[in-house]
Amino acid sequence: MEIIRADGKYAAAAAEAEAACLGTAWSEKQIREAAERDDTLYLAALEDGVLCGTASCVFSLFEGMIENIAVLPGYRRRGIATALLAEIEREAKDRGLCTLSLEAASKNKAAVLLYEKVGFKSVGVRKGFYRRENDDALIMVKEIHP
């Protein structure tokens, strides 16, 4: 498996992966634009040249906000999401940031356990945030040190 900065070459596959995994997703155009921005990291996980996962993070002055993490069902439980998160954290440290944050559906127990395993802690809840799933969003934060 290889983790790379996504570029326009992977935008269509990334949009399809996000749609398949998340139900809502960035469009191919949004992914292309994000990949070109200095304040955004858009990653692709490749296995044998095939895109199997994506992650995006928007950086501000002291924080990185993880927007999306998606791993195609046939590739889950292979450490891909963990590798994507590690690359985001590495980039955040290189930028001198203090925290990473994300939101996770409270009913997505696998995701919540993964985030806790890599050091995220729940700091709040957005009640009813995911209306379609009738679910709350857990706000999770990880302190990092450059």
Side-chain angles (χ1 to χ4, degrees), residues 75-144:
Y75 293 90
R76 292 181 183 160
R77 306 193 69 74
R78 296 186 191 181
I80 295 168
T82 301
L84 289 164
L85 287 164
E87 183 59 21
I88 289 172
E89 184 172 343
R90 187 201 60 72
E91 177 74 21
K93 285 180 179 179
D94 287 351
R95 291 175 181 243
L97 303 184
C98 300
T99 60
L100 288 172
S101 63
L102 57 81
E103 292 174 353
S106 67
K107 294 178 184 176
N108 187 345
K109 299 300 183 198
V112 172
L113 288 172
L114 168 66
Y115 302 143
E116 289 174 343
K117 179 180 139 191
V118 299
F120 283 84
K121 295 184 179 6
S122 182
V123 296
V125 176
R126 287 193 168 104
K127 292 283 186 191
F129 185 77
Y130 298 106
R131 291 186 184 138
R132 196 176 334 162
E133 293 84 15
N134 190 29
D135 198 2
D136 301 332
L138 298 180
I139 302 165
M140 302 184 81
V141 174
K142 180 177 183 177
E143 301 293 326
I144 57 173

Side-chain angles (χ1 to χ4, degrees), residues 10-66:
Y10 296 101
E16 288 177 21
E18 283 193 13
C21 297
L22 305 174
T24 60
W26 288 4
S27 69
E28 183 177 342
K29 180 181 180 214
Q30 288 172 309
I31 291 168
R32 282 183 198 283
E33 290 171 354
E36 294 173 4
R37 293 176 52 119
D38 290 335
D39 69 343
T40 303
L41 177 64
Y42 198 95
L43 299 172
L46 305 175
E47 193 165 289
D48 297 324
V50 175
L51 185 135
C52 57
T54 66
S56 59
C57 185
V58 176
F59 300 111
S60 64
L61 193 55
F62 299 109
E63 177 187 31
M65 174 61 183
I66 298 171

